[in-house]
Amino acid sequence: MEQLLVKARELADEAEVFRVSSERTLVHFEANHLKQIQNKQHVSIALRIIKQGRIGFSVATGCVNAQTLLDMALDTSQFGAPANFSFPASAAYPQVEVFDPETDKLAVEKMVELGGRLVARVREHTPDILCEADVTKEVVFFNILNSKGGEASYCKSLSSLNLEGLVVHDTDMLFVGDGESSCHPLVDFNVVADRVIKQLELAGSKATASTGSSPVIFTPRGVASALVAPLVTAFNGKMVLEGASPLRGKLGERVFDKKFSLWDNAILPYHVASRPCDDEGVPSQSTLLVGEGVVSNFLYDLQTAALANMRSTGSGIRARGGLPGPGTSSLIVGEGDVSLQDMVADMKEGLIVEELMGAEQGNLLAGDFSGNALLGYRVKGGEIVGRVKDTMVSGNVYEALERIVAVGRESRWVGGVLRLPYLYCSNLSLGTKGG
Amino acid sequence: MRQQLIEALKGHNADYVEVRLEQGQSTCIIYRGKRLDEMERSFSKGGNIRALVNGGWGFVSFNELNGLWDKVELAVKQARLVGGEVSKLASVEPVVDTVNVEAEKDAATVSLTVKKQLLGEYNDIILSTPKVQTSNINYRDSNRRVIFVNSEGTYIEQGKAGISLRLLAVARGNGEVQQASLSLGSSGNFADIEGLHDQVGEMARRAVDLLSAAQVKAGEYTVILDPVLAGVFAHEAFGHLSESDFVYENRQLLEVMVLGKRFGGKHLNIVDGAAVPGLRGSYKYDDEGVPATKTYLIREGILEGRLHSRETAAKMGEKPTGNARALNYLFPPIVRMTNTYIEPGSVSFEEMLSGIREGVYVKDWYGGMTCLEMFTFSAGEAYMIRKGRLAELLRPTVLSGNVFVTLDNIDAIGDDLHMNQGGGCGKGEQVPLPVSNGSPHIRIRRCLVGGR
């Protein structure tokens, strides 16, 4: 890495080398039984240069000589975007624990056993379910070095446990599923099993919803599948800069309900999206995005921040090893003070959405969403009466979050990167088969 | 190299072993608004090993090519930990072959200057459209050479090239944001994405028109799908159900997908095949070294075939179809579609429209998703149909339903087959895999449309 940096520095004005190496083990169960074990060893090295004020970039996986990487970076720097930033000098990084040596020590045999017991526990409840389960562990080394003296390296461990179940009766199919992830080794399968069993119980009987306007309670997983994607786009500093985000020009304005607060937090210990610094070597932080309904900050990497006259929020993320751009770490929606039970009782008639399929296909920028309730429950007379099918739920994220009826007092992690409460919204549009 | 690979596969106590090595380069150019936001070149070298022992699979992927024999041994060890039955793989003739990419204007030989010039022209067209706020152009080309060797004597070297281009226009007005997009693809021929200036302008104007479009009222409608969206329907709603890895261990689903069962009218024929030449999903051998085929999934309304890997074919007692594909060396091959389409019928678009009192005409696609029987797919452009005529423009519209019911509700199939090369298919983590979809216009009765 040092040699590449020195060579690059000779030919360009500034240079940065970013290296990631990882080893991941995946134990995969299909149709209730152990199917495959995978081991993935990956190394990639990226070179970013600034030459005559322009950015050049190249990336390689596997053995490549430094000259090839340099030539490709120089080639692109003739046309690359003007660089409006400098690489960060050495900085003090926050202490963020993201490595647990116990995760690395998890034996494959133990992972096989864990997945097997998870599947067995769910099948004990519903014998004719078909489960697909994944047990993974991963260790990742990050290394970043730049010509301004900036230097950072850290190691992260990841462990995850996921299960998706399918119950088929004739042409009726029920989908359930949940998961957990952490930097600590996950060794208790019951957390995931309990959640899936709960879903199976609620979905035990069938119910129908009718076409029209209806209140909807989104469970934490429901919020993740329906409402998060448009927000991720809207708070991306690049989208704001370009004017594509509807939140442009709304800093300091109350756009959401007072009960709604949102953070991006990269410094929570042992969470999978946490890190001491971002992929550009900028120290990590927790950023308030929405404080009691008021738009407070957007997320920036170095280049976007420079263009927008803002400061990097330590949000420079390299998707698939490419150039950094603004991205989220852990997104956290603040908890409210209402229990699910009270929400259901208050709603009397309506729908609970656990997973909306295809919601993200709509016009994300405008906040429109529309999806099929893959898993959703009908509320009747203030009680959950059964699962609905063939029901489309449509709405607009900004309208839905501008007048939230209630925010749940409990929240949970979804997919390891979102911490979400129940959200109770009014007036969403339902479309159903047969009206 | 060949001898080295053959040696690495020797001396392991496994039922089957294969190794795949891959080397390639790619170029990516991204415009965001006026800015050329990213220009990057990348180089990749890596490989994987897959081993089968007593019905269990082990898989190892790597970037460092040293110590190949030990990597094979690790995959074998993992496979042994999994295995607990008899290994089944459909037998195929070992093949020794070299397949090169033949593109009229190979993207790998086109200079960065030319690529930037063309994309810049498209970008200017979008940005000069009144009320367009910003643009997004995402171009990527790649060129790879893949070597595949297995313990049965197959040795195949295949060149693979691809171009994907996605253009997006974002319009803004009255506090509203709307967008329209265009997705294109090619098997490495740069000429395929040249000269699209008119189409790009049309797309930008559509984004602007959407600002004043109404939202469809949710409910059931008679809908007409254009060839692009009907192709997505064929792929998403039905095609995924024809992937045998979904089916072969699922007894209930197997009962639903019994060969010989009727799924639609006599006019319905759905095909998948990498052997159909010249399309984005075409190839000579799949990633298990099996020759490509053309498979009728539905013929005259009746379920006739499905897509297989060597393992699913053996387990179901059917013939392998050459549909095992891996996105790249980081993933094992799984059953995937290639070029999927509904064959043309005889009904004209005008005939389809006539007789619809109130319906929806949906065009183009934002995306599609499926969970076995359930599908949702979203149209990039939609119009109301009133009294047999196209009426007002609608906002992007989502359709959803049960595939079995919907196939049976197709009551007209057009005479105008068109293949869309812009698709990238996702399954598990392996996305986007180059595929093409196509269809003529089709009409579906009683289709669920989301709106408000």
Side-chain angles (χ1 to χ4, degrees), chain B residues 179-194:
Chain B
Q179 59 188 27
S181 68
L182 195 60
S183 291
L184 301 149
S186 161
S187 301
N189 184 9
F190 195 75
D192 287 347
I193 60 154
E194 291 180 312

Side-chain angles (χ1 to χ4, degrees), chain B residues 48 124 162 201 262 268 341 357 400 412:
Chain B
N48 71 49
D124 289 344
R262 178 161 292 281
L268 184 65
Y341 57 95
R357 182 196 286 267
S400 184

Side-chain angles (χ1 to χ4, degrees), chain A residues 246-263:
Chain A
L247 298 180
R248 179 188 173 126
K250 301 271 173 78
L251 266 187
E253 274 183 40
R254 204 188 70 80
V255 170
F256 302 96
D257 192 284
K258 261 195 119 162
K259 295 187 279 296
F260 186 76
S261 294
L262 178 70
W263 290 264

Side-chain angles (χ1 to χ4, degrees), chain A residues 47 60 66 80 120 144 170 175 204 232 260 359 376 405 433:
Chain A
L47 173 66
I144 186 163
D170 299 322
F175 296 88
V232 169
F260 186 76
V405 185
K433 269 288 196 200

Side-chain angles (χ1 to χ4, degrees), chain B residues 428-446:
Chain B
E429 298 172 282
Q430 299 197 44
V431 57
L433 190 76
V435 295
S436 73
N437 309 318
S439 173
H441 277 92
I442 60 171
R443 184 171 66 196
I444 302 171
R445 297 286 180 191
R446 297 188 304 281

